[in-house]
Amino acid sequence: VIRRLDDLPAAAATERGYCEGVGIQSFLMCPMYSNEMALGTLGIDAIRNQRDWSDQDIRRLRMVGEVIGNELIRKHLNLEIQDLKDRLEAENSYLREAVELSYSHDEIVGASKVIREMLKKIEQVAKTDSRVLIRGETGTGKGLVARAIHHLSGRSDKPLVSVNCAALSPTLIENELFGCERGAYTGALARQVGRFEIADGSTIFLDEVGELAPEVQAKLLRILEEGEFERLGSPKTHKVDVRMIAATNRDLEKAVAEGAFRQDLYFRLSVFPISVPPLRERREDIPMLVWSFIKEFEPAMGRVIERVPKPTMEALQNSDWRGNVRELRNVIERAMILGSGRVLQVDLPTGPTDTGESAPRTLAEVEEQHIRRVLEQVGWRVRGHGKAAELLGLNPSTLESRMKKLGLDRP
């Protein structure tokens, strides 16, 4: 309570100078508290005339301060509750999506030396919180390795949150990873919680991390270093505790040398690298994989397979599986659909000499024939899981550009 400026102590010379400058003769200031939390100060100034502030003035101002303070606390709590609701709804939505996904099998199939070595590495790193970089060609099962690491970890009680970095544009992937506020950009009609918030306390799997745009790489690096990020359109900083597993079918060292991928981000992602071997390096696992896929498809197809002819199995083992395990699975599924009876008959993918095509003479012809063959295999569908871009290990936009350049049009 300052009834006259002379009541101000000597240490308040700055405040006195301000009051004299604007004409304040006396004032009453009341700090606002709520549950022992200081929220700010409420004040009344007397200009031109000094005022002898009464006890009733003080009580009234304190009462107004309590009302405003409680309202501010209520608004703050409502915002926190809304944030929690948004996060819970986003997590429930993600869980529903995850449940709806159908995976080929829920464990890694194989007994070859390279698979046993890979499983040993999975067990070694799973119990830690170390970041893992999974390398491998398209279709080798990098996502399966990521799920195995998460399920063996101390975070397995929460869902593994997966993001395909190659499936979205730079703007959309940033929105997907970090979330956004309403109106952050054209079309942002509601607040969205990002995958990093959903994965707080759990694990996030960034598939095809090599496809991230430079600006997104910088934000990802900050999360790795500080565990912090901001939603698009918001200055508020969020802190998260997330274990990160990344996967790529690209040569990231080459991408770093070419300036397409940040070197500091590469080193932080590849704390513990795991290589998933291509199918041609584990041909002895093919019979186990074939029977695993047969058992998977039998209930849906209404068939029971008792035997796979030896020549068929040998042909499967000797085939060049460019699409790896995913391509093998597609071949078995197609055989289950087309065939009948208890013996599995398989039509293997044919090469250029089997189709009557003339041998290509130039690199462009080789590229055209290979892309055409893969497009025909998937019904000329470029985007999506198991479609042409993924099988070829290319960004969908890159593949569409090459198709246009080569004159490849859907028939």
Side-chain angles (χ1 to χ4, degrees), residues 347-360:
D347 292 326
L348 292 176
T350 57
T353 54
D354 299 318
T355 61
E357 299 174 357
S358 59

Side-chain angles (χ1 to χ4, degrees), residues 74 103 113 140 142 148 150 166 170 189-190 195 215 257 264 267 278 287 318 329 339 357 397-398:
R74 187 187 66 81
Y103 301 111
K113 181 181 178 181
T140 51
K142 298 185 290 294
H150 175 69
L189 303 179
R195 294 298 174 95
E215 59 269 23
D264 45 5
F267 286 135
N318 293 328
R329 183 181 184 274
E357 299 174 357
S397 299
T398 303

Side-chain angles (χ1 to χ4, degrees), residues 302-305 334-345:
R303 293 184 63 187
V304 175
I305 301 298
R334 185 164 59 247
M336 294 285 288
I337 294 171
L338 296 176
S340 59
R342 297 179 179 269
V343 178
L344 186 71
Q345 302 293 337

Side-chain angles (χ1 to χ4, degrees), residues 80-355:
E80 286 190 343
I81 290 170
Q82 187 61 46
D83 274 348
L84 290 172
K85 285 177 64 178
D86 289 346
R87 180 173 169 182
L88 184 61
E89 288 175 4
E91 184 168 334
N92 288 338
S93 175
Y94 179 79
L95 283 171
R96 285 195 298 270
E97 293 173 6
V99 168
E100 289 170 0
L101 291 175
S102 58
Y103 301 111
S104 59
H105 45 276
D106 57 4
E107 59 182 4
I108 297 171
V109 176
S112 60
K113 181 181 178 181
V114 290
I115 286 295
R116 291 198 306 270
E117 290 174 350
M118 186 187 75
L119 291 173
K120 183 179 179 181
K121 287 187 176 182
I122 290 173
E123 293 172 0
Q124 288 172 333
V125 77
K127 300 301 181 183
T128 74
D129 273 344
S130 296
R131 293 184 285 272
V132 180
L133 178 63
I134 306 170
R135 301 166 173 271
E137 298 176 6
T138 298
T140 51
K142 298 185 290 294
L144 197 62
V145 172
R147 291 196 295 275
I149 294 171
H150 175 69
H151 291 154
L152 292 173
S153 75
R155 300 171 181 251
S156 59
D157 58 326
K158 293 189 175 182
L160 172 69
V161 177
S162 300
V163 181
N164 188 336
C165 301
L168 299 169
S169 68
T171 301
L172 291 178
I173 191 66
E174 191 171 354
N175 181 51
E176 189 77 12
L177 291 176
F178 310 117
C180 73
E181 296 293 334
R182 180 178 179 181
Y185 58 87
T186 304
L189 303 179
R191 176 167 34 177
Q192 179 176 327
V193 176
R195 294 298 174 95
F196 273 102
E197 284 185 76
I198 298 173
D200 191 13
S202 185
T203 306
I204 192 166
F205 173 49
L206 302 181
D207 196 11
E208 303 306 342
V209 71
E211 304 298 328
L212 288 176
E215 59 269 23
V216 184
Q217 292 179 31
K219 288 195 173 185
L220 185 59
L221 182 63
R222 184 185 171 200
I223 291 184
L224 289 173
E225 292 177 337
E226 304 171 14
E228 296 179 350
F229 69 95
E230 288 85 30
R231 290 178 187 162
L232 290 174
S234 170
K236 182 180 178 182
T237 298
H238 295 265
K239 288 190 72 72
V240 289
D241 171 26
V242 176
R243 183 193 190 167
M244 196 175 302
I245 300 176
T248 182
N249 61 7
R250 294 184 62 186
D251 184 346
L252 287 188
E253 289 92 342
K254 182 179 179 182
V256 168
E258 294 173 347
F261 199 82
R262 293 180 65 115
Q263 186 178 53
D264 45 5
L265 177 58
Y266 167 70
F267 286 135
R268 283 167 174 79
L269 286 175
S270 59
V271 173
F272 193 92
I274 293 179
S275 295
V276 185
L279 198 52
R280 60 183 173 275
E281 293 180 7
R282 46 181 294 223
R283 296 182 187 275
E284 60 267 43
D285 291 334
I286 288 179
M288 294 178 63
L289 287 164
V290 168
W291 280 107
S292 172
F293 295 139
I294 288 172
K295 296 305 177 185
E296 176 193 348
F297 294 129
E298 277 182 339
M301 305 295 181
R303 293 184 63 187
V304 175
I305 301 298
E306 295 177 349
R307 185 170 65 90
V308 179
K310 185 178 178 180
T312 297
M313 190 65 80
E314 289 176 346
L316 290 169
Q317 287 184 277
N318 293 328
S319 183
D320 180 19
W321 298 104
R322 290 186 296 270
N324 292 292
V325 179
R326 185 181 296 123
E327 185 183 4
L328 174 62
R329 183 181 184 274
N330 291 343
V331 167
I332 300 303
E333 182 178 11
R334 185 164 59 247
M336 294 285 288
I337 294 171
L338 296 176
S340 59
R342 297 179 179 269
V343 178
L344 186 71
Q345 302 293 337
V346 179
D347 292 326
L348 292 176
T350 57
T353 54
D354 299 318
T355 61

